[in-house]
Amino acid sequence: MIIKIFKNDEFASRAAADIIIAQINGKPNSVLGLPTGGTPVKTYQTLINACNEGRVSFKNVKTFNLDEYIGLHPTHEQSYRNFMNTNLFNHIDIVMENTHLPSEENAANYDEMINAAGGLDLQVLGIGGNGHIAFNEPGGAFDSLTHKQAIAEATIRDNARFFDGDIDKVPKFAVTLGIKGIMNARKIILLAFGKGKTQAIYDTVRGQVTTNVPSSILQLHPNCTLLIDEAAAGML
Ligand code: F6R
C-alpha cells in the first residue's frame, strides 16, 4: 500500500483527480469504478473542470459505480444514480449509456458486465467509519461478488445526514459490488478525509487483515494508494 498524506481534502482531491486524468489520458477507453458519498465530490468537481478545459475526455470511458440503494427510484434526490448525474456525469462528455450502477435487476450480471467491458482499470474508493468499502459491511466475506446487502446500523446513522437527519428515511438495503470485485481492479485509490475516518484508516493500514474491517483486505492488493488528509492519518 502506498500512503499519501495531504494537508487537507482539497489537495488530496486534486491528487486523486490527477491520477484519474492520467489514467484516462494513458488509456482513453478506461473502465473506472466510482464511489458516491461526500468524499469524492471535490475530485469530481476537479474532473469536471479538467474536462471543460479540454485536459481530459470521457468520450470513450466506461464507468461502473460501486453501489446503489434498494428502494429509491433513480430520480430520487438521494439515489446514487442521481448523485452521479448531478455531481459528475451531466457535466462531462461521457456517453450516458456507458455509465452503470448496480441494481437488484442486474446484480447477478454486474461482475460479468464489468469483465465484458475489460475489467476495472482504476477503482476509486471512499471508506466508512467502520471500515466498509462500497456497502461491504464488517463481517462480510472477502470472496463476495455483487450482492444485496443489509446496511449496517452505523452506516445508516452516518448517511442520515443526506436524509434530513432522519434514520427512518435511509434505505436499509443496498446492492453493492463485492470485495472480490473490488480486489479484481488493476489499480485502486482510496480517499479518506476527516476525524471520522481516523480509526478506520489506522485499522486499514496497521490492523490485521480481517473481515471485521473490510478495507483491511486492501493490504493484499498489489497496486493500492491511499490519499488521505492529516486528520484521517491522525493515528498512523
Ligand atoms: C459509496 C460508498 C461508500 C462510501 C462511504 C464513505 O458509493 O462506496 O462506501 O465511500 O460510506 O462515505 P462518505 O464519503 O460520505 O464519508
Side-chain angles (χ1 to χ4, degrees), residues 46-66:
T46 308
L47 292 178
I48 292 168
N49 292 339
C51 187
N52 289 335
E53 289 160 11
R55 289 189 284 120
V56 67
S57 170
F58 293 79
K59 271 196 191 112
N60 297 306
V61 168
K62 292 196 172 109
T63 65
F64 290 87
N65 263 79
L66 284 169

Side-chain angles (χ1 to χ4, degrees), residues 35-39 66-67 80 126-128 132-134 161-162 197:
T36 58
T39 305
L66 284 169
D67 40 23
Y80 286 170
I127 183 171
H132 74 225
I133 45 177
R161 70 191 193 278
F162 298 116
K197 307 293 170 72

Side-chain angles (χ1 to χ4, degrees), residues 104-130:
E104 274 190 299
E105 289 71 38
N106 71 16
N109 300 323
Y110 200 64
D111 294 275
E112 193 39 51
M113 287 162 64
I114 293 172
N115 290 339
L120 296 169
D121 292 300
L122 175 61
Q123 174 67 62
V124 184
L125 292 177
I127 183 171
N130 63 359

Side-chain angles (χ1 to χ4, degrees), residues 13-35:
S13 300
R14 229 176 286 162
D18 284 346
I19 291 171
I20 298 166
I21 291 167
Q23 170 65 43
I24 297 170
N25 287 338
K27 185 182 176 196
N29 63 346
S30 286
V31 180
L32 305 181
L34 297 178

